[in-house]
Amino acid sequence: MRKLSLQDVEDKRSKRNSDVSLAVAKFREKTIEEGWSLSRNRPRSVDEIKALNYIARITILKGIQLGAIAYDKEKRVLRIEKYAKG
């Protein structure tokens, strides 16, 4: 089994992030040159809205069941434990 140090992992991550950023920038340049708009041109259909709402509800419910999302009664908000401070 290959062992990686923390520095190796961080180097790979930073290299990959720059590669992805470069690819996104090239794609945007190409679409602008070809006359494509980067904004959404049409409103979402009723079926698309229902599907997206369903996906969001299921994701939140699974997060609550797994304990990744918790309801803070004092602040009356949903907290994502992974990103909570303190």
Side-chain angles (χ1 to χ4, degrees):
M1 181 198 250
R2 183 176 167 201
K3 292 185 179 182
L4 295 172
S5 68
L6 179 59
Q7 186 62 39
D8 293 338
V9 173
E10 288 177 352
D11 290 343
K12 281 187 173 191
R13 184 180 58 89
S14 65
K15 183 179 184 293
R16 186 171 294 146
N17 282 348
S18 64
D19 292 343
V20 169
S21 297
L22 181 62
V24 169
K26 285 183 180 179
F27 177 77
R28 285 182 183 219
E29 283 179 21
K30 186 176 180 182
T31 54
I32 291 170
E33 287 172 2
E34 292 179 359
W36 288 89
S37 172
L38 297 175
S39 63
R40 186 169 183 82
N41 292 331
R42 62 173 179 78
R44 295 192 190 278
S45 69
V46 174
D47 291 336
E48 190 176 6
I49 292 170
K50 283 182 183 177
L52 292 171
N53 287 342
Y54 178 77
I55 291 168
R57 273 190 234 112
I58 294 298
T59 303
I60 288 175
L61 289 175
K62 283 183 182 178
I64 291 171
Q65 289 173 352
L66 295 173
I69 299 174
Y71 182 71
D72 187 350
K73 291 180 182 179
E74 290 179 10
K75 296 180 182 177
R76 297 175 58 179
V77 295
L78 289 173
R79 253 180 42 179
I80 301 174
E81 296 298 324
K82 180 176 168 182
Y83 301 112
K85 294 181 181 178

